[in-house]
Amino acid sequence: MPCSIAPGKILLFGEHFVVKGKPAIGMAVSVYAKTCVSKGVGIVESGQLGILVDLSSRVVNDRGVHKIIEELSKRGILKNNFHAVIESQIPIGSGMGSSAAVSSALAHALTVFSGFEPSKELVWEVSFEAEKIYHVNPSGIDNTLSVYGGIILYKDKSFRRLEIKWPEDIYIVVVDSRIKRSTGQVVADVLSRYEKYPTIYSRIYEAGEAIVTEALKALETGDFVRLGELMDINHGLLASISVSSSAIDRIVWSIREAGALGVKVSGAGRGGIVIALVEEARRDNVSNRVRELGLEPLLAKPDLKGVRALSPYG
Ligand code: MEV
């Protein structure tokens, strides 16, 4: 039975500023969505959410999943003889690219099941069609990371892959605050404040751009102490545009006090995830502090490969 996995993602730097044309840095992380496909009657189900599509009884509970089936059928790849089961470690609606990872893993596994070559280009195209259903005007950053993996610089709708040597003893700790918010709402609110204080906000956004420039140098030279400090500065800027909150700052400060190299909210903010750069020697300390807050730390590394078949041999 073919199974495929695809990674989730985090934004290391530049969220919100990217909406006004500034650069951002995103990273695929080792937290995965998995899909396995066997013979069946045209069903896609999720371990967490139940039946998403059942072609045999014309049930469509997830339009993005249905779009993937349509796109693969249109290309002559898929017939209605599959039963796909999705399992995901990626928190839903928290800014980790859960929908893109699920779409990529599903498109990949259905293509392999049907006996076709799951090229990166094909999986990218099909998963982007689904992203257009899940998100208003998606940038493509999420499915680019879930398909290709790695660390990318994103600016003005174009991507550059960064070739970074990531040390064995540095982790990205991801904490889902479990606070739900609407990305669209937060983005709209930030933009209206930008209109109210344009001279101040434009300078904050320029500082965000300068952080990305410095972060690229720190990544290229392997200066992870500096990278952590830049994450702290980036969090300060995000707080100044009102996308942190007391609950988020409590998580950020607990992790900071536990010895992380740097911590920030990631994604739209006012909830969603907090990410921290943590050395191995501080990993357990940070994890314990997160658990004391009643939350679960996800210990991640960059995923450099993107969507792929899961070998039956592990
Ligand atoms: C959300 O993950 C990232 C934002 O910058 C919005 C966007 O870029 O579409 C807040």
XYZ file of all heavy atoms in Angstrom, residues 17-92:
569
model
N 5.023 41.554 7.286
C 5.785 42.516 6.475
C 5.731 42.096 4.998
O 5.759 42.926 4.095
C 7.231 42.623 6.966
C 7.330 42.766 8.481
C 8.288 42.079 9.210
C 6.434 43.582 9.161
C 8.349 42.199 10.591
C 6.485 43.711 10.551
C 7.453 43.010 11.266
N 5.643 40.776 4.796
C 5.599 40.200 3.450
C 4.345 40.666 2.679
O 4.360 40.775 1.461
C 5.671 38.643 3.578
C 4.341 38.047 4.019
C 6.159 37.983 2.320
N 3.297 40.979 3.416
C 2.049 41.430 2.781
C 2.276 42.769 2.065
O 1.613 43.093 1.088
C 0.918 41.532 3.845
C -0.357 42.098 3.252
C 0.651 40.162 4.476
N 3.259 43.554 2.553
C 3.595 44.841 1.929
C 4.864 44.734 1.079
O 5.623 45.701 0.949
C 3.805 45.901 3.020
C 2.513 46.369 3.667
C 1.803 47.363 2.766
C 0.694 48.087 3.487
N -0.023 48.992 2.570
N 5.139 43.523 0.571
C 6.237 43.364 -0.391
C 7.613 43.168 0.216
O 8.617 43.169 -0.507
N 7.695 43.001 1.545
C 9.003 42.749 2.168
C 9.321 41.254 2.094
O 8.429 40.429 1.902
C 8.984 43.210 3.637
C 8.628 44.685 3.817
C 9.676 45.569 3.206
C 9.399 47.040 3.472
N 10.131 47.907 2.534
N 10.597 40.878 2.263
C 10.949 39.450 2.164
C 10.588 38.664 3.435
O 10.459 39.248 4.513
C 12.472 39.482 1.995
C 12.891 40.757 2.656
C 11.764 41.730 2.497
N 10.443 37.356 3.274
C 10.220 36.472 4.422
C 11.065 35.215 4.247
O 11.455 34.878 3.126
C 8.740 36.092 4.517
N 11.364 34.557 5.363
C 12.092 33.287 5.297
C 11.205 32.195 5.896
O 10.746 32.317 7.039
C 13.443 33.351 6.053
C 14.338 34.441 5.458
C 14.154 31.988 5.999
C 15.671 34.635 6.179
N 10.960 31.154 5.100
C 10.142 30.031 5.561
C 10.960 28.757 5.578
O 11.953 28.632 4.848
N 10.548 27.817 6.411
C 11.299 26.565 6.538
C 10.338 25.378 6.637
O 9.372 25.428 7.405
C 12.134 26.633 7.824
C 12.944 25.393 8.121
S 13.494 25.380 9.831
C 14.975 26.309 9.681
N 10.588 24.342 5.850
C 9.830 23.095 6.013
C 10.377 22.390 7.249
O 11.597 22.348 7.446
C 10.003 22.217 4.778
N 9.493 21.876 8.083
C 9.949 21.241 9.330
C 9.470 19.789 9.432
O 8.475 19.401 8.814
C 9.490 22.024 10.587
C 10.279 23.312 10.735
C 7.997 22.291 10.580
N 10.194 19.044 10.258
C 9.972 17.588 10.330
C 8.733 17.224 11.149
O 8.800 16.455 12.114
C 11.212 16.923 10.916
O 11.476 17.500 12.198
N 7.625 17.818 10.788
C 6.317 17.488 11.371
C 5.451 17.209 10.138
O 5.400 18.049 9.241
C 5.759 18.678 12.183
C 4.437 18.325 12.812
C 6.761 19.135 13.246
N 4.799 16.026 10.089
C 4.313 15.546 8.788
C 2.814 15.252 8.714
O 2.183 14.893 9.708
C 5.048 14.249 8.424
C 6.537 14.464 8.248
C 7.428 14.163 9.275
C 7.045 15.004 7.073
C 8.794 14.385 9.125
C 8.402 15.227 6.913
C 9.278 14.917 7.944
O 10.613 15.149 7.791
N 2.304 15.378 7.473
C 1.013 14.795 7.115
C 1.324 13.539 6.306
O 2.245 13.542 5.493
C 0.207 15.763 6.264
N 0.567 12.479 6.568
C 0.809 11.205 5.871
C -0.483 10.729 5.215
O -1.562 10.896 5.793
C 1.256 10.172 6.914
C 1.467 8.788 6.371
C 2.067 7.888 7.447
C 1.110 6.765 7.754
N 1.603 5.793 8.713
N -0.365 10.182 4.017
C -1.536 9.590 3.353
C -1.172 8.214 2.829
O -0.129 8.050 2.186
C -1.980 10.446 2.140
O -2.316 11.737 2.602
C -3.210 9.840 1.465
N -2.007 7.221 3.105
C -1.835 5.871 2.551
C -3.049 5.555 1.690
O -4.179 5.927 2.035
C -1.732 4.833 3.667
S -0.250 5.072 4.674
N -2.807 4.899 0.565
C -3.911 4.627 -0.373
C -3.984 3.124 -0.668
O -2.969 2.488 -0.950
C -3.712 5.385 -1.712
C -4.918 5.196 -2.620
C -3.490 6.878 -1.466
N -5.208 2.583 -0.575
C -5.441 1.189 -0.987
C -6.625 1.171 -1.961
O -7.196 2.231 -2.256
C -5.722 0.320 0.246
O -6.780 0.909 0.978
N -6.995 -0.025 -2.434
C -8.121 -0.119 -3.392
C -9.434 0.188 -2.695
O -9.637 -0.185 -1.542
C -8.178 -1.552 -3.958
C -7.192 -1.802 -5.059
C -7.826 -2.766 -6.087
C -7.006 -2.814 -7.347
N -5.898 -3.801 -7.242
N -10.340 0.880 -3.388
C -11.622 1.207 -2.768
C -12.578 1.806 -3.774
O -12.418 1.625 -4.983
N -13.549 2.587 -3.249
C -14.635 3.084 -4.109
C -14.613 4.616 -4.229
O -15.644 5.239 -4.442
C -16.016 2.604 -3.591
C -16.146 1.106 -3.741
C -16.229 3.026 -2.129
N -13.421 5.216 -4.050
C -13.322 6.668 -4.201
C -13.554 7.406 -2.897
O -14.357 8.344 -2.832
N -12.832 6.982 -1.856
C -13.010 7.604 -0.530
C -11.709 8.233 -0.058
O -10.629 7.663 -0.231
C -13.492 6.553 0.502
C -14.933 6.135 0.163
C -13.399 7.077 1.938
C -15.506 5.060 1.040
N -11.814 9.448 0.500
C -10.680 10.043 1.230
C -11.189 10.316 2.634
O -12.191 11.007 2.826
C -10.203 11.362 0.588
C -9.068 11.960 1.416
C -9.744 11.141 -0.850
N -10.497 9.741 3.626
C -10.900 10.012 5.006
C -9.711 10.447 5.833
O -8.555 10.169 5.497
C -11.580 8.807 5.638
C -10.699 7.588 5.783
C -11.413 6.467 6.526
O -11.883 6.708 7.646
O -11.485 5.356 5.972
N -10.018 11.172 6.903
C -8.968 11.671 7.778
C -9.154 11.056 9.158
O -10.298 10.968 9.648
C -9.080 13.201 7.849
O -8.748 13.673 9.125
N -8.040 10.641 9.765
C -8.083 10.079 11.107
C -8.701 11.062 12.101
O -9.405 10.673 13.023
N -8.456 12.364 11.876
C -8.963 13.374 12.820
C -10.373 13.863 12.467
O -11.173 14.145 13.341
C -8.039 14.601 12.814
C -6.696 14.366 13.473
C -5.643 15.280 12.862
O -5.313 15.175 11.680
N -5.106 16.188 13.659
N -10.632 13.979 11.122
C -11.858 14.685 10.701
C -12.929 13.784 10.083
O -14.013 14.259 9.756
C -11.497 15.798 9.698
C -10.463 16.823 10.181
C -10.041 17.730 9.035
C -11.016 17.666 11.329
N -12.657 12.498 9.921
C -13.647 11.580 9.343
C -13.650 11.625 7.816
O -12.659 12.005 7.185
N -14.807 11.283 7.218
C -14.907 11.210 5.746
C -14.808 12.621 5.154
O -15.575 13.517 5.512
C -16.256 10.578 5.324
C -16.350 9.119 5.781
C -16.458 10.684 3.800
C -15.464 8.139 5.045
N -13.870 12.806 4.217
C -13.716 14.108 3.555
C -14.414 14.093 2.198
O -15.086 15.054 1.830
C -12.234 14.454 3.394
C -11.423 14.486 4.708
C -9.965 14.796 4.437
C -12.001 15.501 5.691
N -14.230 12.975 1.467
C -14.915 12.816 0.180
C -15.283 11.343 0.035
O -14.475 10.465 0.350
C -13.993 13.230 -1.003
C -14.596 12.800 -2.339
C -13.753 14.742 -1.007
N -16.517 11.080 -0.412
C -16.924 9.712 -0.736
C -17.635 9.773 -2.087
O -18.803 10.168 -2.163
C -17.851 9.166 0.360
C -18.294 7.740 0.068
O -18.047 7.248 -1.058
O -18.883 7.127 0.969
N -16.905 9.421 -3.137
C -17.474 9.535 -4.485
C -18.627 8.550 -4.684
O -19.565 8.834 -5.432
C -16.391 9.275 -5.549
C -15.216 10.270 -5.578
C -14.198 9.839 -6.633
C -15.683 11.699 -5.854
N -18.584 7.405 -3.977
C -19.617 6.373 -4.179
C -20.974 6.862 -3.684
O -22.010 6.436 -4.167
C -19.225 5.074 -3.481
O -19.245 5.257 -2.087
N -20.993 7.767 -2.691
C -22.301 8.296 -2.258
C -22.362 9.819 -2.410
O -23.150 10.482 -1.732
C -22.606 7.854 -0.825
O -21.491 8.054 -0.009
N -21.501 10.351 -3.282
C -21.504 11.788 -3.638
C -21.419 12.713 -2.426
O -22.117 13.740 -2.354
C -22.759 12.134 -4.450
C -22.842 11.391 -5.763
C -23.576 12.221 -6.803
N -23.445 11.630 -8.114
C -24.363 10.845 -8.670
N -25.469 10.562 -8.038
N -24.166 10.359 -9.869
N -20.571 12.351 -1.476
C -20.382 13.211 -0.298
C -19.097 14.008 -0.488
O -18.045 13.437 -0.775
C -20.265 12.363 0.993
C -19.870 13.228 2.187
C -21.569 11.650 1.277
N -19.195 15.347 -0.381
C -17.989 16.189 -0.436
C -17.994 17.087 0.800
O -18.706 18.085 0.871
C -17.955 17.046 -1.724
C -16.746 17.997 -1.696
C -17.888 16.169 -2.963
N -17.212 16.685 1.811
C -17.125 17.508 3.021
C -15.920 18.430 2.980
O -15.775 19.301 3.826
C -17.036 16.616 4.275
C -18.328 15.862 4.504
O -19.408 16.379 4.219
N -18.226 14.635 4.990
N -15.022 18.202 2.019
C -13.810 19.014 1.925
C -13.568 19.337 0.451
O -13.196 18.464 -0.332
C -12.636 18.230 2.519
C -11.368 19.064 2.592
O -11.045 19.729 1.589
O -10.694 19.042 3.640
N -13.799 20.601 0.093
C -13.725 20.975 -1.329
C -12.299 20.957 -1.860
O -12.058 20.724 -3.025
C -14.357 22.363 -1.538
C -15.878 22.338 -1.333
C -16.581 23.510 -1.979
N -15.971 24.794 -1.625
C -15.412 25.628 -2.485
N -15.363 25.339 -3.764
N -14.890 26.769 -2.069
N -11.326 21.194 -0.980
C -9.916 21.157 -1.398
C -9.514 19.747 -1.803
O -8.868 19.537 -2.849
N -9.918 18.772 -0.997
C -9.620 17.361 -1.305
C -10.310 16.965 -2.605
O -9.727 16.289 -3.461
C -10.058 16.461 -0.120
C -10.126 15.000 -0.534
C -9.111 16.639 1.059
N -11.555 17.415 -2.782
C -12.287 17.102 -4.009
C -11.573 17.694 -5.220
O -11.490 17.084 -6.289
C -13.730 17.610 -3.906
C -14.606 17.092 -5.002
N -15.120 17.903 -5.982
C -15.019 15.830 -5.298
C -15.825 17.162 -6.823
N -15.779 15.912 -6.434
N -11.007 18.893 -5.048
C -10.283 19.552 -6.137
C -9.064 18.711 -6.549
O -8.754 18.589 -7.739
C -9.830 20.949 -5.659
C -9.188 21.779 -6.727
C -10.226 22.307 -7.682
C -9.613 23.096 -8.808
N -10.543 23.309 -9.911
N -8.377 18.139 -5.572
C -7.202 17.307 -5.886
C -7.630 16.100 -6.730
O -6.997 15.763 -7.739
C -6.509 16.851 -4.580
C -5.849 18.068 -3.934
C -5.493 15.746 -4.827
C -5.352 17.847 -2.541
N -8.734 15.474 -6.340
C -9.253 14.328 -7.102
C -9.581 14.779 -8.528
O -9.201 14.112 -9.508
C -10.507 13.741 -6.403
C -10.118 13.182 -5.029
C -11.174 12.672 -7.272
C -11.298 12.822 -4.155
N -10.270 15.910 -8.639
C -10.646 16.438 -9.968
C -9.413 16.694 -10.832
O -9.360 16.330 -11.998
C -11.349 17.784 -9.785
C -12.845 17.736 -9.851
C -13.435 19.130 -9.633
O -12.728 20.165 -9.786
O -14.603 19.163 -9.290
N -8.411 17.355 -10.236
C -7.206 17.726 -10.998
C -6.459 16.484 -11.479
O -5.965 16.454 -12.604
C -6.271 18.599 -10.140
C -6.807 19.993 -9.857
C -6.878 20.878 -11.106
O -5.939 20.828 -11.922
O -7.877 21.595 -11.269
N -6.357 15.473 -10.612
C -5.641 14.252 -11.015
C -6.452 13.465 -12.050
O -5.885 12.867 -12.972
C -5.327 13.376 -9.788
C -4.280 13.948 -8.825
C -4.167 13.077 -7.568
C -2.905 14.074 -9.489
N -7.781 13.499 -11.924
C -8.642 12.799 -12.896
C -8.546 13.476 -14.254
O -8.428 12.817 -15.302
C -10.101 12.780 -12.435
O -10.181 12.246 -11.147
N -8.592 14.825 -14.227
C -8.511 15.622 -15.452
C -7.242 15.310 -16.252
O -7.237 15.323 -17.476
C -8.478 17.096 -15.025
C -8.971 18.084 -16.034
C -9.157 19.453 -15.379
C -7.834 20.197 -15.240
N -7.990 21.482 -14.536
N -6.161 15.024 -15.519
C -4.885 14.723 -16.176
C -4.771 13.247 -16.583
O -3.697 12.790 -16.990
C -3.723 15.090 -15.251
C -3.522 16.586 -15.081
C -2.545 16.868 -13.927
N -2.164 18.256 -13.827
C -2.928 19.225 -13.300
N -4.131 18.948 -12.842
N -2.488 20.473 -13.235
N -5.838 12.489 -16.400
C -5.830 11.062 -16.787
C -5.047 10.197 -15.823
O -4.678 9.057 -16.151
N -4.784 10.699 -14.625
C -3.965 9.938 -13.670
C -4.842 9.064 -12.771
O -4.533 7.901 -12.528
C -3.112 10.914 -12.816
C -2.061 11.581 -13.706
C -2.471 10.205 -11.618
C -1.279 12.694 -13.044
N -5.953 9.631 -12.308
C -6.727 8.957 -11.255
C -8.050 8.394 -11.775
O -8.758 9.043 -12.547
C -7.009 9.981 -10.137
C -7.505 9.453 -8.801
C -6.486 8.519 -8.150
C -7.820 10.610 -7.850
N -8.377 7.152 -11.315
C -9.732 6.595 -11.533
C -10.393 6.546 -10.152
O -9.729 6.800 -9.141
C -9.611 5.189 -12.115
C -8.915 5.142 -13.448
C -9.113 3.747 -14.077
C -8.323 3.612 -15.344
N -6.873 3.461 -15.129
N -11.684 6.176 -10.127
C -12.390 6.223 -8.829
C -12.248 4.930 -8.032
O -13.213 4.436 -7.463
C -13.880 6.516 -9.069
C -14.078 7.907 -9.628
O -13.142 8.695 -9.666
N -15.288 8.193 -10.068
N -11.038 4.384 -7.966
C -10.871 3.058 -7.340
C -9.968 3.098 -6.108
O -9.275 2.150 -5.822
C -10.276 2.089 -8.373
C -8.901 2.558 -8.840
O -8.528 3.716 -8.624
N -8.151 1.669 -9.444
N -9.982 4.225 -5.390
C -9.018 4.396 -4.287
C -9.727 4.567 -2.938
O -10.900 4.956 -2.868
C -8.151 5.636 -4.552
C -8.979 6.886 -4.748
C -9.362 7.651 -3.664
C -9.395 7.278 -6.018
C -10.144 8.788 -3.835
C -10.175 8.408 -6.193
C -10.556 9.162 -5.097
N -8.974 4.287 -1.899
C -9.413 4.599 -0.533
C -8.197 5.189 0.187
O -7.249 4.471 0.492
C -9.901 3.326 0.179
C -10.529 3.621 1.507
N -11.712 3.066 1.923
C -10.152 4.453 2.523
C -12.026 3.524 3.126
N -11.078 4.361 3.508
N -8.213 6.500 0.377
C -7.055 7.182 0.969
C -7.348 7.524 2.425
O -8.437 7.972 2.766
C -6.757 8.464 0.183
N -6.336 7.293 3.272
C -6.476 7.624 4.698
C -5.377 8.609 5.077
O -4.189 8.350 4.861
C -6.394 6.348 5.576
C -6.525 6.723 7.051
C -7.470 5.353 5.184
N -5.802 9.752 5.616
C -4.856 10.820 5.980
C -4.669 10.830 7.504
O -5.647 10.777 8.256
C -5.427 12.194 5.545
C -5.610 12.246 4.027
C -4.541 13.339 6.043
C -6.447 13.434 3.548
N -3.402 10.889 7.922
C -3.091 11.093 9.350
C -2.132 12.259 9.395
O -1.218 12.332 8.586
C -2.369 9.876 9.949
C -3.137 8.567 9.910
C -4.252 8.500 10.942
O -4.245 9.331 11.880
O -5.137 7.645 10.774
N -2.322 13.190 10.322
C -1.411 14.340 10.336
C -0.978 14.706 11.748
O -1.772 14.667 12.681
C -2.101 15.544 9.669
O -1.234 16.648 9.696
N 0.328 15.026 11.855
C 0.871 15.493 13.146
C 0.788 17.013 13.229
O 1.171 17.594 14.231
C 2.365 15.157 13.245
C 2.751 13.727 12.985
C 4.265 13.588 12.840
O 4.923 14.381 12.180
N 4.825 12.570 13.488
N 0.373 17.652 12.131
C 0.468 19.119 12.046
C -0.787 19.757 12.622
O -1.897 19.443 12.163
C 0.644 19.556 10.567
C 1.819 18.801 9.932
C 0.833 21.062 10.461
C 1.895 18.926 8.415
N -0.650 20.642 13.626
C -1.854 21.277 14.158
C -2.608 22.035 13.057
O -1.989 22.694 12.221
C -1.335 22.252 15.225
C 0.117 22.000 15.386
C 0.584 21.107 14.276
N -3.945 21.907 13.065
C -4.766 22.521 12.008
C -5.027 23.994 12.341
O -5.281 24.338 13.486
C -6.115 21.765 11.881
C -5.864 20.315 11.452
C -7.060 22.454 10.891
C -7.084 19.416 11.504
